[in-house]
Amino acid sequence: MGLRPNLLTRRTAGVASTTLALLLSTAAVGVVPAASAFSAAPADACAEPADVHSDARVKAGAHAKQEPNELTAKETREREADLAAALRERANFRAGAGAAALAAVTIPVVVHVIQEDGTRAGGNIPDSMINSQISVLNEAYSGGTGGAATAFSFQLQKINRVTNPAWYPIVQGSSAERSMKTSLREGGKNTLNVYLGELSDDLLGWATFPKRRLDSMDGVVVLTESLPGGTATNYNQGDTGTHEVGHWLNLYHTFQGGCRGSGDGVSDTPAEAEPAYQCPTGRDTCTAAGLDPITNFMDYTYDTCMYQFTAGQAERMLTAWNAYRAA
Ligand SMILES: [Zn+2]
């Protein structure tokens, strides 16, 4: 999700990065890239960049290296086609089983706390921060912070503490990440696995989109210090978790696709040319109606700035739940 001030530059060397980095800047100017240039970009994951620009004077494109794996137009078309196919599949299944689609969902949550050692600086956060994060999710997804209510609530099932320096930081796209998730992931498609840790590339978090076939990579990775009470200045109210879970529930960024086309696939989030950072006033980057949705959880603004999902996003998440994650 948002940016994070320039911390931990020690981690910038040697980390796996990112053929994905150029996607957003290209998409933002409406250029349709050659598919081959993006073949390495996974369509089922979304990584969030850190804040390398702590002031507002950032030249367009200056943050390209830190940008996430924004999906290409081709990838969103493929994902939308898959959603339609999954919905048809599930409708047939339900008709046979006499089962209705769900309208309210309680999501079991398993939180894996990846620690370097037993110290607070090494990732050993108190349970209270995790409980606060669950409360933040429940507030956000119930509309309690000012947005639309969604179908979702969250119930903490387990806190799993793991001390393993080999998984600290969690390096996005690494074999260590795969090994960690393969070892730790619990539950079925409906179980939200959250991995907390120090993260590579100054990232705040990343998430997988839902897929028809569950695999062990499914889940969200969140910077430990982005939890409520953490040390990630401007990003320590828990909205990284809210944003990443939005992806896990099939939401795109509000700036997906820029000003053109179907954007984020949701009609009530005005089009936005590129991510918004910090908390700009009156930003309006597309000629289509509406100011940029900078207060939406699926933009990149500060935690203090974002407080809502829209009704369209709530509907999109529930549709995807019934297509992909419902039992
Ligand atoms: Zn994101």
PDB file of all heavy atoms in Angstrom, residues 1-2 45-49 68-70 205-207 209 240 243-244 246-247 251-255 297-300, ligand 1:
ATOM      1  N   MET A   1       0.817  -1.175   0.000  1.00  0.00           N
ATOM      2  CA  MET A   1       0.000   0.000   0.000  1.00  0.00           C
ATOM      3  C   MET A   1       0.858   1.234   0.000  1.00  0.00           C
ATOM      4  O   MET A   1       1.612   1.446  -0.882  1.00  0.00           O
ATOM      5  CB  MET A   1      -0.968   0.015   1.173  1.00  0.00           C
ATOM      6  CG  MET A   1      -0.321  -0.197   2.494  1.00  0.00           C
ATOM      7  SD  MET A   1      -1.268   0.537   3.802  1.00  0.00           S
ATOM      8  CE  MET A   1      -1.517   2.171   3.195  1.00  0.00           C
ATOM      9  N   GLY A   2       0.811   2.023   1.006  1.00  0.00           N
ATOM     10  CA  GLY A   2       1.431   3.326   0.948  1.00  0.00           C
ATOM     11  C   GLY A   2       2.930   3.315   0.951  1.00  0.00           C
ATOM     12  O   GLY A   2       3.563   2.300   0.833  1.00  0.00           O
ATOM     13  N   ALA A  45      -0.098 -11.704  -7.417  1.00  0.00           N
ATOM     14  CA  ALA A  45       0.513 -11.112  -6.232  1.00  0.00           C
ATOM     15  C   ALA A  45       0.576  -9.605  -6.403  1.00  0.00           C
ATOM     16  O   ALA A  45       0.559  -9.088  -7.504  1.00  0.00           O
ATOM     17  CB  ALA A  45       1.922 -11.649  -6.027  1.00  0.00           C
ATOM     18  N   CYS A  46       0.606  -8.931  -5.322  1.00  0.00           N
ATOM     19  CA  CYS A  46       0.685  -7.492  -5.382  1.00  0.00           C
ATOM     20  C   CYS A  46       1.586  -6.985  -4.278  1.00  0.00           C
ATOM     21  O   CYS A  46       1.288  -7.155  -3.107  1.00  0.00           O
ATOM     22  CB  CYS A  46      -0.682  -6.863  -5.213  1.00  0.00           C
ATOM     23  SG  CYS A  46      -0.546  -5.099  -5.132  1.00  0.00           S
ATOM     24  N   ALA A  47       2.673  -6.400  -4.645  1.00  0.00           N
ATOM     25  CA  ALA A  47       3.603  -5.897  -3.630  1.00  0.00           C
ATOM     26  C   ALA A  47       3.474  -4.394  -3.497  1.00  0.00           C
ATOM     27  O   ALA A  47       3.171  -3.704  -4.455  1.00  0.00           O
ATOM     28  CB  ALA A  47       5.022  -6.240  -4.017  1.00  0.00           C
ATOM     29  N   GLU A  48       3.690  -3.947  -2.337  1.00  0.00           N
ATOM     30  CA  GLU A  48       3.537  -2.521  -2.064  1.00  0.00           C
ATOM     31  C   GLU A  48       4.887  -1.885  -1.821  1.00  0.00           C
ATOM     32  O   GLU A  48       5.703  -2.421  -1.104  1.00  0.00           O
ATOM     33  CB  GLU A  48       2.666  -2.323  -0.835  1.00  0.00           C
ATOM     34  CG  GLU A  48       1.406  -3.139  -0.840  1.00  0.00           C
ATOM     35  CD  GLU A  48       0.565  -2.934  -2.061  1.00  0.00           C
ATOM     36  OE1 GLU A  48       0.706  -1.896  -2.738  1.00  0.00           O
ATOM     37  OE2 GLU A  48      -0.248  -3.802  -2.369  1.00  0.00           O
ATOM     38  N   PRO A  49       5.096  -0.703  -2.376  1.00  0.00           N
ATOM     39  CA  PRO A  49       6.402  -0.075  -2.251  1.00  0.00           C
ATOM     40  C   PRO A  49       6.531   0.705  -0.953  1.00  0.00           C
ATOM     41  O   PRO A  49       5.553   1.047  -0.313  1.00  0.00           O
ATOM     42  CB  PRO A  49       6.423   0.896  -3.423  1.00  0.00           C
ATOM     43  CG  PRO A  49       5.001   1.323  -3.522  1.00  0.00           C
ATOM     44  CD  PRO A  49       4.173   0.100  -3.150  1.00  0.00           C
ATOM     45  N   PRO A  68       5.140  -1.175  -7.340  1.00  0.00           N
ATOM     46  CA  PRO A  68       4.702  -2.547  -7.138  1.00  0.00           C
ATOM     47  C   PRO A  68       4.416  -3.233  -8.450  1.00  0.00           C
ATOM     48  O   PRO A  68       4.549  -2.673  -9.519  1.00  0.00           O
ATOM     49  CB  PRO A  68       3.402  -2.351  -6.379  1.00  0.00           C
ATOM     50  CG  PRO A  68       2.856  -1.108  -6.983  1.00  0.00           C
ATOM     51  CD  PRO A  68       4.045  -0.223  -7.253  1.00  0.00           C
ATOM     52  N   ASN A  69       3.983  -4.425  -8.314  1.00  0.00           N
ATOM     53  CA  ASN A  69       3.596  -5.174  -9.496  1.00  0.00           C
ATOM     54  C   ASN A  69       2.165  -4.866  -9.880  1.00  0.00           C
ATOM     55  O   ASN A  69       1.296  -5.716  -9.831  1.00  0.00           O
ATOM     56  CB  ASN A  69       3.793  -6.659  -9.286  1.00  0.00           C
ATOM     57  CG  ASN A  69       3.151  -7.159  -8.015  1.00  0.00           C
ATOM     58  OD1 ASN A  69       3.057  -6.432  -7.040  1.00  0.00           O
ATOM     59  ND2 ASN A  69       2.712  -8.383  -8.020  1.00  0.00           N
ATOM     60  N   GLU A  70       1.978  -3.656 -10.272  1.00  0.00           N
ATOM     61  CA  GLU A  70       0.696  -3.300 -10.869  1.00  0.00           C
ATOM     62  C   GLU A  70       0.440  -4.233 -12.045  1.00  0.00           C
ATOM     63  O   GLU A  70       1.346  -4.573 -12.784  1.00  0.00           O
ATOM     64  CB  GLU A  70       0.766  -1.860 -11.351  1.00  0.00           C
ATOM     65  CG  GLU A  70      -0.526  -1.305 -11.832  1.00  0.00           C
ATOM     66  CD  GLU A  70      -1.519  -1.154 -10.697  1.00  0.00           C
ATOM     67  OE1 GLU A  70      -1.178  -1.426  -9.552  1.00  0.00           O
ATOM     68  OE2 GLU A  70      -2.638  -0.775 -10.995  1.00  0.00           O
ATOM     69  N   GLY A 205       4.071  -4.275   2.366  1.00  0.00           N
ATOM     70  CA  GLY A 205       3.342  -5.530   2.350  1.00  0.00           C
ATOM     71  C   GLY A 205       3.103  -6.007   0.934  1.00  0.00           C
ATOM     72  O   GLY A 205       3.361  -5.283  -0.026  1.00  0.00           O
ATOM     73  N   TRP A 206       2.624  -7.243   0.829  1.00  0.00           N
ATOM     74  CA  TRP A 206       2.154  -7.745  -0.457  1.00  0.00           C
ATOM     75  C   TRP A 206       1.136  -8.846  -0.215  1.00  0.00           C
ATOM     76  O   TRP A 206       1.016  -9.342   0.904  1.00  0.00           O
ATOM     77  CB  TRP A 206       3.295  -8.216  -1.358  1.00  0.00           C
ATOM     78  CG  TRP A 206       4.154  -9.331  -0.875  1.00  0.00           C
ATOM     79  CD1 TRP A 206       3.945 -10.666  -1.040  1.00  0.00           C
ATOM     80  CD2 TRP A 206       5.407  -9.219  -0.179  1.00  0.00           C
ATOM     81  NE1 TRP A 206       4.977 -11.389  -0.484  1.00  0.00           N
ATOM     82  CE2 TRP A 206       5.891 -10.529   0.044  1.00  0.00           C
ATOM     83  CE3 TRP A 206       6.171  -8.138   0.277  1.00  0.00           C
ATOM     84  CZ2 TRP A 206       7.087 -10.788   0.707  1.00  0.00           C
ATOM     85  CZ3 TRP A 206       7.366  -8.398   0.942  1.00  0.00           C
ATOM     86  CH2 TRP A 206       7.818  -9.698   1.148  1.00  0.00           C
ATOM     87  N   ALA A 207       0.418  -9.163  -1.272  1.00  0.00           N
ATOM     88  CA  ALA A 207      -0.695 -10.094  -1.105  1.00  0.00           C
ATOM     89  C   ALA A 207      -0.889 -10.913  -2.365  1.00  0.00           C
ATOM     90  O   ALA A 207      -0.483 -10.509  -3.451  1.00  0.00           O
ATOM     91  CB  ALA A 207      -1.984  -9.322  -0.808  1.00  0.00           C
ATOM     92  N   PHE A 209      -3.760 -12.546  -4.907  1.00  0.00           N
ATOM     93  CA  PHE A 209      -5.158 -12.520  -5.303  1.00  0.00           C
ATOM     94  C   PHE A 209      -5.724 -13.940  -5.196  1.00  0.00           C
ATOM     95  O   PHE A 209      -4.976 -14.908  -5.215  1.00  0.00           O
ATOM     96  CB  PHE A 209      -5.283 -12.024  -6.744  1.00  0.00           C
ATOM     97  CG  PHE A 209      -4.933 -10.577  -6.933  1.00  0.00           C
ATOM     98  CD1 PHE A 209      -3.774 -10.203  -7.603  1.00  0.00           C
ATOM     99  CD2 PHE A 209      -5.761  -9.574  -6.446  1.00  0.00           C
ATOM    100  CE1 PHE A 209      -3.453  -8.863  -7.788  1.00  0.00           C
ATOM    101  CE2 PHE A 209      -5.444  -8.235  -6.629  1.00  0.00           C
ATOM    102  CZ  PHE A 209      -4.286  -7.883  -7.297  1.00  0.00           C
ATOM    103  N   THR A 240      -2.059  -0.916   6.259  1.00  0.00           N
ATOM    104  CA  THR A 240      -1.389  -1.824   5.319  1.00  0.00           C
ATOM    105  C   THR A 240      -2.105  -3.168   5.341  1.00  0.00           C
ATOM    106  O   THR A 240      -2.395  -3.751   4.297  1.00  0.00           O
ATOM    107  CB  THR A 240       0.098  -1.992   5.691  1.00  0.00           C
ATOM    108  OG1 THR A 240       0.753  -0.734   5.535  1.00  0.00           O
ATOM    109  CG2 THR A 240       0.765  -3.030   4.797  1.00  0.00           C
ATOM    110  N   HIS A 243      -5.368  -2.869   3.444  1.00  0.00           N
ATOM    111  CA  HIS A 243      -5.122  -2.799   2.005  1.00  0.00           C
ATOM    112  C   HIS A 243      -4.754  -4.178   1.444  1.00  0.00           C
ATOM    113  O   HIS A 243      -5.306  -4.611   0.426  1.00  0.00           O
ATOM    114  CB  HIS A 243      -3.996  -1.780   1.775  1.00  0.00           C
ATOM    115  CG  HIS A 243      -3.508  -1.649   0.384  1.00  0.00           C
ATOM    116  ND1 HIS A 243      -3.766  -0.538  -0.400  1.00  0.00           N
ATOM    117  CD2 HIS A 243      -2.733  -2.462  -0.388  1.00  0.00           C
ATOM    118  CE1 HIS A 243      -3.178  -0.683  -1.580  1.00  0.00           C
ATOM    119  NE2 HIS A 243      -2.547  -1.839  -1.603  1.00  0.00           N
ATOM    120  N   GLU A 244      -3.848  -4.858   2.107  1.00  0.00           N
ATOM    121  CA  GLU A 244      -3.409  -6.165   1.587  1.00  0.00           C
ATOM    122  C   GLU A 244      -4.557  -7.175   1.610  1.00  0.00           C
ATOM    123  O   GLU A 244      -4.702  -7.980   0.687  1.00  0.00           O
ATOM    124  CB  GLU A 244      -2.222  -6.690   2.383  1.00  0.00           C
ATOM    125  CG  GLU A 244      -0.973  -5.813   2.355  1.00  0.00           C
ATOM    126  CD  GLU A 244      -0.504  -5.455   0.972  1.00  0.00           C
ATOM    127  OE1 GLU A 244      -0.811  -6.188   0.008  1.00  0.00           O
ATOM    128  OE2 GLU A 244       0.168  -4.421   0.837  1.00  0.00           O
ATOM    129  N   GLY A 246      -7.569  -6.428   1.202  1.00  0.00           N
ATOM    130  CA  GLY A 246      -8.375  -6.033   0.040  1.00  0.00           C
ATOM    131  C   GLY A 246      -7.935  -6.760  -1.225  1.00  0.00           C
ATOM    132  O   GLY A 246      -8.763  -7.276  -1.983  1.00  0.00           O
ATOM    133  N   HIS A 247      -6.632  -6.836  -1.444  1.00  0.00           N
ATOM    134  CA  HIS A 247      -6.136  -7.616  -2.586  1.00  0.00           C
ATOM    135  C   HIS A 247      -6.484  -9.092  -2.442  1.00  0.00           C
ATOM    136  O   HIS A 247      -6.882  -9.746  -3.403  1.00  0.00           O
ATOM    137  CB  HIS A 247      -4.613  -7.499  -2.702  1.00  0.00           C
ATOM    138  CG  HIS A 247      -4.104  -6.176  -3.161  1.00  0.00           C
ATOM    139  ND1 HIS A 247      -4.592  -5.500  -4.252  1.00  0.00           N
ATOM    140  CD2 HIS A 247      -3.097  -5.395  -2.673  1.00  0.00           C
ATOM    141  CE1 HIS A 247      -3.922  -4.371  -4.424  1.00  0.00           C
ATOM    142  NE2 HIS A 247      -3.009  -4.281  -3.473  1.00  0.00           N
ATOM    143  N   LEU A 251      -9.558  -7.158  -4.691  1.00  0.00           N
ATOM    144  CA  LEU A 251      -9.569  -5.758  -5.115  1.00  0.00           C
ATOM    145  C   LEU A 251      -8.248  -5.387  -5.784  1.00  0.00           C
ATOM    146  O   LEU A 251      -7.174  -5.810  -5.349  1.00  0.00           O
ATOM    147  CB  LEU A 251      -9.774  -4.821  -3.918  1.00  0.00           C
ATOM    148  CG  LEU A 251     -11.130  -4.868  -3.228  1.00  0.00           C
ATOM    149  CD1 LEU A 251     -11.196  -3.771  -2.172  1.00  0.00           C
ATOM    150  CD2 LEU A 251     -12.282  -4.746  -4.221  1.00  0.00           C
ATOM    151  N   TYR A 252      -8.383  -4.563  -6.806  1.00  0.00           N
ATOM    152  CA  TYR A 252      -7.217  -3.929  -7.420  1.00  0.00           C
ATOM    153  C   TYR A 252      -6.977  -2.585  -6.730  1.00  0.00           C
ATOM    154  O   TYR A 252      -7.829  -2.078  -5.998  1.00  0.00           O
ATOM    155  CB  TYR A 252      -7.471  -3.660  -8.911  1.00  0.00           C
ATOM    156  CG  TYR A 252      -7.673  -4.888  -9.767  1.00  0.00           C
ATOM    157  CD1 TYR A 252      -8.746  -4.945 -10.653  1.00  0.00           C
ATOM    158  CD2 TYR A 252      -6.793  -5.966  -9.703  1.00  0.00           C
ATOM    159  CE1 TYR A 252      -8.927  -6.058 -11.471  1.00  0.00           C
ATOM    160  CE2 TYR A 252      -6.971  -7.075 -10.521  1.00  0.00           C
ATOM    161  CZ  TYR A 252      -8.042  -7.119 -11.400  1.00  0.00           C
ATOM    162  OH  TYR A 252      -8.231  -8.207 -12.207  1.00  0.00           O
ATOM    163  N   HIS A 253      -5.852  -1.986  -7.082  1.00  0.00           N
ATOM    164  CA  HIS A 253      -5.624  -0.600  -6.665  1.00  0.00           C
ATOM    165  C   HIS A 253      -6.631   0.322  -7.351  1.00  0.00           C
ATOM    166  O   HIS A 253      -7.073   0.046  -8.461  1.00  0.00           O
ATOM    167  CB  HIS A 253      -4.209  -0.149  -7.056  1.00  0.00           C
ATOM    168  CG  HIS A 253      -3.133  -0.856  -6.299  1.00  0.00           C
ATOM    169  ND1 HIS A 253      -2.047  -1.425  -6.906  1.00  0.00           N
ATOM    170  CD2 HIS A 253      -2.993  -1.071  -4.965  1.00  0.00           C
ATOM    171  CE1 HIS A 253      -1.272  -1.969  -5.973  1.00  0.00           C
ATOM    172  NE2 HIS A 253      -1.831  -1.775  -4.789  1.00  0.00           N
ATOM    173  N   THR A 254      -6.921   1.432  -6.696  1.00  0.00           N
ATOM    174  CA  THR A 254      -7.819   2.410  -7.320  1.00  0.00           C
ATOM    175  C   THR A 254      -7.212   3.004  -8.591  1.00  0.00           C
ATOM    176  O   THR A 254      -7.944   3.495  -9.444  1.00  0.00           O
ATOM    177  CB  THR A 254      -8.124   3.554  -6.347  1.00  0.00           C
ATOM    178  OG1 THR A 254      -6.894   4.020  -5.786  1.00  0.00           O
ATOM    179  CG2 THR A 254      -9.047   3.095  -5.234  1.00  0.00           C
ATOM    180  N   PHE A 255      -5.900   2.950  -8.705  1.00  0.00           N
ATOM    181  CA  PHE A 255      -5.239   3.525  -9.888  1.00  0.00           C
ATOM    182  C   PHE A 255      -4.948   2.466 -10.945  1.00  0.00           C
ATOM    183  O   PHE A 255      -4.272   2.746 -11.938  1.00  0.00           O
ATOM    184  CB  PHE A 255      -3.946   4.252  -9.483  1.00  0.00           C
ATOM    185  CG  PHE A 255      -3.065   3.453  -8.557  1.00  0.00           C
ATOM    186  CD1 PHE A 255      -2.130   2.567  -9.061  1.00  0.00           C
ATOM    187  CD2 PHE A 255      -3.178   3.604  -7.178  1.00  0.00           C
ATOM    188  CE1 PHE A 255      -1.327   1.826  -8.208  1.00  0.00           C
ATOM    189  CE2 PHE A 255      -2.380   2.867  -6.316  1.00  0.00           C
ATOM    190  CZ  PHE A 255      -1.454   1.968  -6.831  1.00  0.00           C
ATOM    191  N   PHE A 297      -8.956   2.774   0.778  1.00  0.00           N
ATOM    192  CA  PHE A 297      -7.929   1.867   1.302  1.00  0.00           C
ATOM    193  C   PHE A 297      -7.039   1.288   0.207  1.00  0.00           C
ATOM    194  O   PHE A 297      -5.944   0.801   0.502  1.00  0.00           O
ATOM    195  CB  PHE A 297      -8.578   0.722   2.081  1.00  0.00           C
ATOM    196  CG  PHE A 297      -9.165   1.117   3.396  1.00  0.00           C
ATOM    197  CD1 PHE A 297     -10.516   0.899   3.658  1.00  0.00           C
ATOM    198  CD2 PHE A 297      -8.381   1.694   4.387  1.00  0.00           C
ATOM    199  CE1 PHE A 297     -11.062   1.248   4.896  1.00  0.00           C
ATOM    200  CE2 PHE A 297      -8.922   2.050   5.623  1.00  0.00           C
ATOM    201  CZ  PHE A 297     -10.274   1.829   5.872  1.00  0.00           C
ATOM    202  N   MET A 298      -7.501   1.319  -1.049  1.00  0.00           N
ATOM    203  CA  MET A 298      -6.718   0.701  -2.110  1.00  0.00           C
ATOM    204  C   MET A 298      -5.865   1.709  -2.868  1.00  0.00           C
ATOM    205  O   MET A 298      -5.336   1.409  -3.933  1.00  0.00           O
ATOM    206  CB  MET A 298      -7.632  -0.081  -3.055  1.00  0.00           C
ATOM    207  CG  MET A 298      -8.410  -1.196  -2.371  1.00  0.00           C
ATOM    208  SD  MET A 298      -7.442  -2.265  -1.247  1.00  0.00           S
ATOM    209  CE  MET A 298      -6.408  -3.168  -2.427  1.00  0.00           C
ATOM    210  N   ASP A 299      -5.710   2.896  -2.322  1.00  0.00           N
ATOM    211  CA  ASP A 299      -4.709   3.832  -2.845  1.00  0.00           C
ATOM    212  C   ASP A 299      -3.440   3.693  -1.994  1.00  0.00           C
ATOM    213  O   ASP A 299      -3.322   2.748  -1.202  1.00  0.00           O
ATOM    214  CB  ASP A 299      -5.275   5.269  -2.842  1.00  0.00           C
ATOM    215  CG  ASP A 299      -4.624   6.146  -3.903  1.00  0.00           C
ATOM    216  OD1 ASP A 299      -3.505   5.845  -4.366  1.00  0.00           O
ATOM    217  OD2 ASP A 299      -5.245   7.172  -4.277  1.00  0.00           O
ATOM    218  N   TYR A 300      -2.498   4.615  -2.122  1.00  0.00           N
ATOM    219  CA  TYR A 300      -1.196   4.505  -1.447  1.00  0.00           C
ATOM    220  C   TYR A 300      -0.959   5.618  -0.429  1.00  0.00           C
ATOM    221  O   TYR A 300       0.178   5.890  -0.083  1.00  0.00           O
ATOM    222  CB  TYR A 300      -0.075   4.584  -2.481  1.00  0.00           C
ATOM    223  CG  TYR A 300       0.296   3.278  -3.137  1.00  0.00           C
ATOM    224  CD1 TYR A 300       1.261   3.257  -4.142  1.00  0.00           C
ATOM    225  CD2 TYR A 300      -0.277   2.079  -2.757  1.00  0.00           C
ATOM    226  CE1 TYR A 300       1.637   2.078  -4.755  1.00  0.00           C
ATOM    227  CE2 TYR A 300       0.085   0.896  -3.371  1.00  0.00           C
ATOM    228  CZ  TYR A 300       1.045   0.902  -4.371  1.00  0.00           C
ATOM    229  OH  TYR A 300       1.421  -0.261  -4.970  1.00  0.00           O
TER     230      TYR A 300
HETATM  231 ZN    ZN B   1      -1.596  -2.874  -3.144  1.00  0.00          ZN
END
